[in-house]
Amino acid sequence: MKRNTGQDRSITQHWRPATQAVRGGTARSEWGETSEAMFLTSGYAYDCAGDAAARFAGDQQGMTYSRLQNPTVEMLEERIALMEGAEACRTMASGMAAMTAVLLCQLEQGDHVVAGRALFGSCRWLTDTLLPKFGIETTTVDARDPQAFTDAVRPNTKVFFFETPANPTMDVVDLEAVCAIARERGITSVVDNAFATPVLQKPMAFGADVVAYSATKMMDGQGRVLAGAVCGTQAFINDILLPFTRNTGPTLSAFNAWVLLKSLETLDLRIRRQSENAVAVGTFLEGRVPRILHPGLESHPQHELARKQMTACGSVFSFEVEGRGQAHGLLDALKLIDISNNIGDSRSLMTHPASTTHSGVAEEKRLEMGIGEGLLRFNVGLEDPRDLIDDLDAALRKVGL
Ligand SMILES: *Cc1c(COP(=O)(O)O)cnc(C)c1O
């Protein structure tokens, strides 16, 4: 197979983002296919025993086994790395596989982590339950305040781990300030960028060391496949992450990688339109509900910071009604918008975090994170926002709002 036909990092890294999203990483086979090929193979054959030995010794380029390398998966990894502006990327079978790998690959007994307290529910399970089992302590902080990170640092702090905007309260973390605090102290900053994607926010441009993704969300964006990714320097990916993932095997399937290659071609279009739709629907809701949290709206306390580090604010926001009864009543009255806990989908989806995504988080931790019984999280899709507003308007009336 001709590898990386027409692709040379010194050229592709200067392509503009929309070009990288369509063409980055494409490696054509001898057939010259225009759309990337799907290599559904677990193994590879060698021309001779010497080639097999040379490949295992690392003296010959090429693939040995799909837990370690796969042409379709590598095309996706190169595309994401280019879009992120990162030296390297490794994909994983899910976002949680990526988050688990990115933490466990670099931490050991006796280390300490400072994490944002407003994290995706399963990420909070990693920091609160999994890491302590291996003798790794975590301090969770209000990540909106950079000083909270400084105050939590200990001599054995190895990693800062946070997401921005954070799920589901839409807290914004000052990337430049927090990543600088990490860098000055030799701490690795790991940013979960699932909500924004590289189209809306490039944490590395603000000093982040590692960017991790649930690619299930905005990147696929059509509710089809689970996937994750970790971006970092060549040294981090090759020397720290790879030994862990090659041997533990959270590998992304070639089929899912292929779906994502297609998804990324339209990411820029989708996420910008969904961000616009979210602002349109959010503006309607502002007058009708007690509180709405979207960094793209001027009413958000961190709107200015979000504008500084994001090019648009994404498809997701949260809003509050009166308690669980009214929240569930509103969900049940929706006719167009689905009740679903996924996000990033091109379909509009709404969920009640306290009884779904964050039901596994203890109540006092939920309240500390800002997840009350009346909070609803809304993923605004690609439908006409006027139809979404009509659906919401009717449902709000039904619950007396
Ligand atoms: C969904 C999500 C994850 C987990 O990703 P999966 O692909 O569902 O495993 C992690 N972080 C954030 C911010 C998410 O939204």
Side-chain angles (χ1 to χ4, degrees), residues 87-226:
E87 285 178 16
C89 166
R90 279 296 173 275
T91 52
M92 310 281 161
S94 70
M96 286 320 300
M99 302 307 158
T100 306
V102 79
L103 292 173
L104 287 184
C105 75
Q106 57 177 321
L107 290 166
E108 59 186 47
Q109 188 177 11
D111 287 341
H112 175 243
V113 174
V114 182
R117 69 185 181 199
L119 285 184
F120 183 70
S122 292
C123 292
R124 271 301 292 252
W125 186 85
L126 295 183
T127 58
D128 296 359
T129 308
L130 183 74
L131 295 184
K133 275 172 67 173
F134 296 96
I136 301 154
E137 277 187 283
T138 307
T139 306
T140 48
V141 298
D142 182 345
R144 289 170 298 184
D145 176 14
Q147 184 64 36
F149 281 89
T150 307
D151 295 345
V153 167
R154 299 183 194 164
N156 56 341
T157 304
K158 203 85 174 276
V159 168
F160 282 180
F161 179 51
F162 57 92
E163 51 184 72
T164 180
N167 183 6
T169 51
M170 308 311 291
D171 288 352
V172 180
V173 181
D174 188 331
L175 284 165
E176 198 168 8
V178 173
C179 295
I181 294 165
R183 187 145 293 189
E184 281 159 19
R185 292 161 178 79
I187 295 165
T188 303
S189 52
V190 177
V191 181
D192 180 342
N193 200 35
F195 272 52
T197 83
V199 172
L200 300 187
Q201 173 173 276
K202 289 201 170 85
M204 284 178 179
F206 295 95
D209 296 308
V210 178
V211 180
Y213 283 102
S214 167
T216 314
K217 307 295 168 54
M218 278 313 308
M219 280 195 181
D220 175 47
Q222 287 141 95
R224 300 171 297 185
V225 298
L226 288 163

Side-chain angles (χ1 to χ4, degrees), residues 275-294 296-299 317-321 330 334 337 350 378 380 384-399 401:
S275 298
E276 277 170 32
N277 288 357
V279 169
V281 175
T283 305
F284 159 77
L285 274 177
E286 268 194 311
R288 286 287 281 280
V289 296
R291 198 153 92 104
I292 165 163
L293 296 159
H294 186 20
L297 296 171
E298 274 172 33
S299 58
F317 64 78
S318 293
F319 64 98
E320 268 169 16
V321 295
L330 182 77
L334 294 168
I337 300 159
M350 201 184 288
F378 191 5
V380 181
D384 189 313
R386 290 168 296 187
D387 289 327
L388 301 174
I389 289 170
D390 288 348
D391 194 32
L392 278 169
D393 184 39
L396 287 165
R397 275 178 214 281
K398 213 156 175 188
V399 296
L401 280 167

